[in-house]
Amino acid sequence: MQHWYAGLSLRTKVTGITVAITVLSLTAVASIGIFQIGREIAAEQHRTADSVALGVARASELAMTVRDTRELSRLANSFLRDDNVLFVAMYADGAKPLAMAVRDATSWEQFAHGGVDKNRGVVGTHSVEGFAQGDEFSGEADPDLSADTPSATKPAAARSQVLGSVVVCISTLPTMQAEQHQIRLTVAATAVAAAVGAAILFLTLRSWMRRLQLLVDASQSISRGDFSVSINDPHDDEIGRLSQSFDGMRLAVGDRDSQLRQFADTLQEQVKQRTSELEKALAAAEEANRAKSLFLANMSHELRTPLNGVIGMVDLLLAAQPNAQQRRYCEVAKSSARSLLELINDILDFSKIEAGKLELDSTDFDLHEVIENVTQVLGEVAERKGIELICGVGEAVPRTVLGDPTRLRQVVLNLVTNAIKFTDTGEVVVHVDVEEQTDTHSLVKVSVKDSGIGIPKERVARLFKSFSQVDASTTRKFGGTGLGLAISHRIVEMMGGQIGVESEEGKGSTFWIKVRFEKRTVPAPAKREIGVDPRGLRALVVDDNSTNREILQAQLASWHLQTDIAAGAKEALEMLEAAAARQVPYRFAILDMRMPKTDGMELATQIKSNPLTQDVILISLSSIGDPMTIEQMSRRGFAACLTKPALPSQLYDAIVDSLAAQEQPQGQSAPAAKNQEPVASVRLDGVRILLAEDNAVNRFVASELLASTGCVCTIVVNGREALESALRETHDVILMDCQMPELDGFEAARGIREAEAKAGGGQHRPIIALTANAIKGDRELCLAAGMDDYVTKPIDPIELLSAIRRQLPTNRPAAVESSSAPSSSTDAAEAPATNYQGIAPVDLNTLQQRCMGNRKLASKALKIFESSLTKDVSALHESMSKGDAKAVAASAHKLKGSAANVSAEQVRSVAAELEKLARADALSQAGNSLDQLDREVRRFQEFLSTALTNLVPSQEQPAASNIVRGQT
């Protein structure tokens, strides 16, 4: 409605409003007049009815006195000669009339039932009064029948009593007709008046509107740039003065418009000139930016390559067993080179962020593993400074989430590294918990708390600025560029999270990040059968560090163990003895090796020498540089030995493994693996297999497995040889490694399928992929390349043989299961015994199962792995020294596969981490992982002799002879 009204012209609005007001006013006046006429007519009708009733009453006084009904009826009928009288009724004392005359029966009927309709008639009443006996008329003239009061007819002294009453009803039709006529006249007069007024108003407004329209037309012409239109209104009223003022304004605006046009032309020329200059400047800036990017890329290569070369050569010098002084010099040189390399990497990362070139990945990853890996990598660094590095992950923290694990690791690694750097004594605590969560997302908070130097409140704000530290003295004392926190701040912001700090000078700091992750549901990995349940058992944590005690207690409680804590050896002994005396002994005791007064080693001796406590299972928490060997600690009674920081997964495995070992009866061997009997019973005699595998360990394990089932194997070491052999010879099944030199498995498979398509004839060679990437989408990649199936590494015998049998014709006689097939040697049913406590570098039980229970085969696989290990690690170091991320990823992938096949889980885990960092082009973060790999390799080499001793078979097995080596 408002929009419609706004669209009307001013003329229409003024005319409409004025006409409406005039019509409303006239209508109101007419309505009041009509109402007043109606009132007067109604009053006149009542007066007429009462006057007629008075006349009837006067005429009937004598007849009423003597109750002469005949006379009364005659009188009543005589009044009906007036057409307006509808009925006349005379009453005495009662309700029944003495006489009546009725013209309109309906009116009389209405009166009898309560009242006459006002549109039909009006009722008038009057009483009949008579003289008392002896009274006479006074001789006055005839009374006035139109008088309203009795005094007009009789003297006051002559009126003495009421003889009856008269009721008369007269018709309202004549008066209503008169009233309607009057209303019609009033309405007609009002309409005429309104029409005359509207005509006068229209004529007046038309003149005004015509003059206003001239103003409107002139303003529109001016808006189009035409200033020549003049109004020239001769009137001296308001509109005329407005027109004169408008003309003056028109002339002034025209002059200014002319000036503006001239200025616009000049400005346009200047803008064109400036635009040309800006375009040239922008082109120069873009060229400078490209030069900067090229410079950074060249600097990255030119600076990192010699530095990595220095680090690589120092590693070679250290491997050459230098004397103590030479080793110290080498370590200082390596540390300095690493510091410079980290500095360069920080600057390059910051440059990427500033240029907007840093992109976040989005993949499923294990959040617990990322946090634990950081603390594990930095554990040795903290140990060298004498600092406790403690890690705690809340029970509600989701394990698998969607995000960028590499950049999250970079941020947490930076925070923990800073905490260790600025802490001289005390502890650094890494804690992960959930702030809030829904069914699909979790807000995860990672906090790093230290007991270091702290930060003044007035200097906290500058922490996350580029090239900024607390002050210049901090830079000189601790080193660094001040870029680490700035980079972390930008990365966390890109993740949609927050980063902050709470600090008090002299008491330490707590840095924290909050990031919202999408929770992912992935199939849980198959758990090994442990045969024991630690829930409900009692455990005692002995540690002089209160934070470590609290975190370990919370971790054990989350696994439903009844956990108590003790701050020292004396308190622990008292609690152990008291519990044994109450017949509720502790099943486990977790001992810190470095405690004041009485250390963990001495406490363990006291526990094992006491008959009340000697059955308690002891687990040690020692430092990486602890001088005691695993064998020495085992002789002191420890069932498992962990290094700090103890990760939750390692602690749980140590608990269940030590519990299973204690509950197993002495001399009883571990149960044979469930999959040994089916492997031994499968025969694939005469099946021709082409095995394409570049990894020596993988080739050996797979070829021996296939040979034991009667297969005839042809072995090649790269994709090109696989393609040539597949097209040259006939094979029943092709086993194709996906990652090989010269030509990878995908390209080789596509080449085979293309050759089959060209040859025609419908020939199809079954191809089974061997891949270490058991992730979603990997099967689709294999099938897209033309492969028929795939098996993940490390190779599971049952899975591999089942995949082969699926590709063979169902009527092939060679693929049979035979209960009389030759079984493995007698040692196949026995798990290798070892005195190694804690988490061994190699899981011998799993390795023996993977080798079908054949200890000789497992022993030979370990030897082959050890012979290639040094070469593979050297190649990895060399690729790192060159800064070649692709080569590092390839070397780490190869090492990961070899380690997985011999169940060297620690080496495999670190190699997998290195591969992940290299594929993310994050070699700047790989230094600590590379050091950890070196440590795990040394542990493996130290453990090898023990493993080989325990894997000596009880009897010799005949060597397989049906292996054909491919042409190289």
Side-chain angles (χ1 to χ4, degrees), residues 343 346 414 417-419 421-422 453-456 458-486 511:
L343 170 63
D346 280 347
N414 178 263
T417 302
N418 285 346
K421 180 193 298 185
F422 295 105
I453 60 176
I455 305 167
E458 65 274 10
R459 295 180 180 177
V460 169
R462 64 185 297 179
L463 279 178
F464 299 104
K465 295 181 179 179
S466 307
F467 303 101
S468 174
Q469 288 190 335
V470 175
D471 55 29
S473 63
T474 300
T475 306
R476 289 194 299 270
K477 181 178 179 181
F478 296 100
T481 60
L483 282 176
L485 287 177
F511 284 83

Side-chain angles (χ1 to χ4, degrees), residues 510-729:
T510 301
F511 284 83
W512 53 264
I513 63 171
K514 295 180 182 179
V515 181
R516 190 176 301 277
F517 290 108
E518 180 182 346
K519 295 189 288 188
R520 308 291 279 184
T521 302
V522 296
K527 296 183 178 179
R528 59 192 180 94
E529 297 184 5
I530 56 177
V532 294
D533 187 357
R535 291 178 297 182
L537 300 180
R538 301 192 69 197
L540 177 65
V541 176
V542 186
D543 199 318
D544 61 313
N545 185 290
S546 60
T547 305
N548 219 6
R549 291 198 303 270
E550 292 173 1
I551 289 182
L552 287 173
Q553 185 181 30
Q555 192 67 68
L556 294 172
S558 70
W559 299 329
H560 305 288
L561 275 76
Q562 302 178 36
T563 309
D564 296 318
I565 56 176
K570 182 179 179 181
E571 182 183 358
L573 283 172
E574 292 174 354
M575 295 176 68
L576 288 168
E577 292 174 354
R582 295 196 308 270
Q583 301 298 316
V584 284
Y586 289 100
R587 196 63 182 277
F588 298 96
I590 301 173
L591 311 182
D592 181 20
M593 289 293 97
R594 293 187 178 183
M595 292 187 293
K597 296 182 180 180
T598 305
D599 62 16
M601 194 66 69
E602 185 177 347
L603 175 59
T605 302
Q606 295 177 13
I607 292 173
K608 289 300 181 180
S609 63
N610 189 335
L612 291 175
T613 60
Q614 63 182 1
D615 292 333
V616 176
I617 298 174
L618 301 183
I619 299 175
S620 71
L621 295 179
S622 61
S623 303
I624 295 175
D626 199 301
M628 299 292 289
T629 64
I630 301 296
E631 288 75 10
Q632 290 172 322
M633 298 185 75
S634 177
R635 288 195 293 271
R636 293 294 185 98
F638 285 99
C641 304
L642 302 178
T643 56
K644 293 183 179 181
L647 304 182
S649 57
Q650 295 176 347
L651 179 59
Y652 185 80
D653 287 344
I655 288 174
V656 297
D657 286 344
S658 56
L659 182 62
Q662 189 186 64
E663 291 188 352
Q664 182 176 312
Q666 188 69 21
Q668 179 178 328
S669 59
K674 292 182 179 180
N675 63 346
Q676 300 308 308
E677 184 177 351
V679 173
S681 65
V682 173
R683 301 299 301 168
L684 298 173
D685 294 322
V687 175
R688 292 160 297 185
I689 302 290
L690 173 60
L691 174 61
E693 173 63 70
D694 66 317
N695 188 292
V697 177
N698 296 346
R699 285 200 305 271
F700 173 74
V701 173
S703 62
E704 291 293 332
L705 168 62
L706 295 170
S708 69
T709 62
C711 292
V712 178
C713 297
T714 300
I715 300 177
V716 294
V717 297
N718 59 55
R720 192 170 303 282
E721 292 180 5
L723 178 59
E724 294 173 354
S725 179
L727 299 179
R728 184 179 63 247
E729 303 170 5

Side-chain angles (χ1 to χ4, degrees), residues 79 84 163 196 221 256 307 311 393 409 431 490 508 520-522 555 600 608 622-623 668 745 765 817 920 961:
F79 278 96
N84 291 329
L163 300 177
V196 172
S221 298
R256 293 180 184 178
L307 278 175
I311 295 172
V393 180
R409 181 183 185 276
H431 186 70
R490 296 291 291 273
R520 308 291 279 184
T521 302
V522 296
Q555 192 67 68
K608 289 300 181 180
S622 61
S623 303
Q668 179 178 328
R765 299 170 176 84
E817 291 186 9
S961 59

